[in-house]
Amino acid sequence: MKKRNVIAALGVAAAAEFLTAVYFYRRTMMRGRAKVERTMKMAGTDWGQYADLLAKRKEYFLSQPHEDVWITSGDGLKLHGTFFPNRGSKRVVLCFHGYTSEGMKDYIGLSDYYLRRGFAMLLADERAHGLSEGKYIGFGCLDRRDAEKWIAWIINHCQEDVKIILHGTSMGAATVLMASGLKLPKQVKGIVSDCGFTSPKEVFTHVLHSMYHIPAFPIIQIADWMNKKLAGYGMDECNAVREVKKSTTPTLFIHGDADTFVPSRMCDAMYENCSAEKWKLIVKGAAHAESYYKNTKRYEEALGIFIKEIL
C-alpha cells in the first residue's frame, strides 16, 4: 500500500509540474497570451515619467513621411514593417522591438536621433507581434532569419550602395546579436544591442528564479520540448554568446545596471565573447530598456562615436 501511495504521489507531482510548464509556456510563447501589461510589470520600468517627452516625439515621428511594407519569411509568414525614407537617405537603421511590443512603439524616443541625423528607418514588427503573422514568438532565434529578409528588402529598395545599422532592444537586441553570427551582407556596417539577452532559456530561468521564486527544472526542459514540437526551435538552440563569437560586424552593447528583467551580466558575457570590433556602455541606474531616457546625453554620445567609426 505504501509503495502504491508513493507512486501515486509521484504521479501527481509529475502531472503538476507538467501542467505548470504548459501554463508558463502558453502565456510566454504564444501570440495573444503573452501580454504587454505583464511584460511591463515584470520589467519594472516607470515609463510614466517620460510620458511628455514620448508624446512630443511621437507627434514629430508620425508627421514624417512613412509607409507600410511587407515581406514573406522563410517559413511563409507575412511580416510587416514601417519605413521612413527620410528623403531617400542611403543610411538606414533597421530596428527590432522588444517582447510583446511592436515596431512603432519602441523607437519613438530614438526616432528623433536617427531622423534628424539623416537616417532612414525601417521598424519591423517581429513575428507574432504587431501586424506580422505568426502564432509562436521567435525570441530572436527565428527572428534572426527574418532579419536577413528585411536586410535584403532594404538593399533592393535603397540599392547596393546603402549602409545599414541593425538596432535592437531587448528581444530585438537578441535578434540582431543572433543575426551577427550569420554571413551578413557587406551593406550591414554595425549592430547596436540595447538590453539584449543571451538566450530564451537563460532569460526564462532568470525570470522563474527572481520573479516567481520557483526552480527552473523541469519547467524549462518541458517548455523546451514543447517549443521544438510547436515552434520549431529549442530555447538554447541559438545563444547570442555563441553567435557573437562568429561575428565580424562592429557592435555597440548598451545596458542599464539596474535592469532586473535582463541582468547586465548577460551584456557583459556577450561583450566579452564578441569577436568583432566592439564598444560597451553601461548606464548607471537605468532599468530595462531605460538607458536612452535615463542618460540621453551618454547614450547619444556613444551612438555618435560608434556611427563615426563604422560609417
Side-chain angles (χ1 to χ4, degrees):
M1 182 65 70
K2 279 187 177 181
K3 185 177 181 181
R4 194 178 303 165
N5 289 341
V6 169
I7 293 172
L10 290 174
V12 170
E17 292 283 8
F18 182 79
L19 290 174
T20 300
V22 171
Y23 169 76
F24 277 106
Y25 179 84
R26 289 169 65 86
R27 63 184 272 159
T28 302
M29 303 298 295
M30 296 181 65
R31 181 182 205 133
R33 295 181 178 272
K35 304 293 186 182
V36 64
E37 297 82 8
R38 189 187 308 133
T39 304
M40 291 179 71
K41 184 177 179 180
M42 288 192 297
T45 307
D46 177 15
W47 290 109
Q49 61 186 310
Y50 306 116
D52 291 343
L53 171 66
L54 288 169
K56 182 179 178 181
R57 294 213 171 164
K58 184 177 182 180
E59 182 180 5
Y60 172 76
F61 193 25
L62 293 179
S63 72
Q64 305 308 302
H66 59 279
E67 59 182 307
D68 292 317
V69 295
W70 303 88
I71 61 170
T72 303
S73 70
D75 54 349
L77 297 178
K78 190 176 181 182
L79 303 179
H80 171 262
T82 309
F83 184 56
F84 290 76
N86 205 1
R87 297 180 294 277
S89 175
K90 291 291 188 177
R91 303 200 303 174
V92 181
V93 58
L94 171 55
C95 302
F96 293 94
H97 59 80
Y99 176 60
T100 69
S101 189
E102 56 188 71
M104 286 295 289
K105 287 184 178 178
D106 283 8
Y107 289 88
I108 290 171
L110 273 165
S111 65
D112 182 79
Y113 178 89
Y114 279 120
L115 291 177
R116 292 186 188 277
R117 285 162 179 79
F119 280 85
M121 300 184 73
L122 175 56
L123 297 93
D125 285 345
E126 300 204 49
R127 57 174 55 217
H129 289 79
L131 297 180
S132 290
E133 293 180 342
K135 183 176 181 180
Y136 299 100
I137 296 171
F139 278 97
C141 298
L142 299 180
D143 308 285
R144 67 178 187 147
R145 293 295 182 181
D146 300 336
E148 287 186 302
K149 297 285 187 179
W150 284 118
I151 292 166
W153 184 91
I154 293 172
I155 294 170
N156 181 65
H157 185 80
C158 300
Q159 305 304 316
E160 293 286 329
D161 57 343
V162 69
K163 296 177 180 179
I164 302 170
I165 293 175
L166 309 182
H167 193 136
T169 301
S170 192
M171 186 181 76
T175 296
V176 298
L177 291 177
M178 291 176 185
S180 75
L182 304 173
K183 189 173 171 126
L184 297 175
K186 64 182 180 180
Q187 287 86 354
V188 178
K189 303 300 183 183
I191 291 173
V192 181
S193 165
D194 187 336
C195 63
F197 54 78
T198 50
S199 74
K201 178 183 177 181
E202 291 183 7
V203 77
F204 294 162
T205 297
H206 168 73
V207 168
L208 288 172
H209 286 165
S210 65
M211 298 182 184
Y212 291 97
H213 308 293
I214 58 177
F217 179 85
I219 293 172
I220 292 294
Q221 287 69 25
I222 296 170
D224 183 58
W225 173 80
M226 291 179 64
N227 208 51
K228 286 176 182 175
K229 295 287 185 183
L230 298 173
Y233 70 97
M235 290 190 174
D236 198 49
E237 182 177 308
C238 190
N239 186 305
V241 170
R242 295 196 298 267
E243 295 306 310
V244 297
K245 289 180 180 179
K246 300 179 280 185
S247 176
T248 59
T249 308
T251 302
L252 170 61
F253 294 86
I254 301 172
H255 218 104
D257 73 354
D259 191 336
T260 57
F261 193 35
V262 178
S264 60
R265 68 172 183 271
M266 292 191 181
C267 176
D268 295 335
M270 294 182 292
Y271 176 82
E272 288 166 9
N273 282 275
C274 182
S275 61
E277 191 175 6
K278 56 192 176 183
W279 295 257
K280 182 169 70 170
L281 170 64
I282 300 297
V283 178
K284 188 174 182 180
H288 189 64
E290 191 188 19
S291 292
Y292 178 73
Y293 304 94
K294 194 71 174 180
N295 197 329
T296 303
K297 182 179 178 182
R298 282 199 68 200
Y299 197 112
E300 292 190 348
E301 285 176 350
L303 266 183
I305 293 169
F306 178 67
I307 291 169
K308 184 178 179 180
E309 288 290 327
I310 65 172
L311 297 184

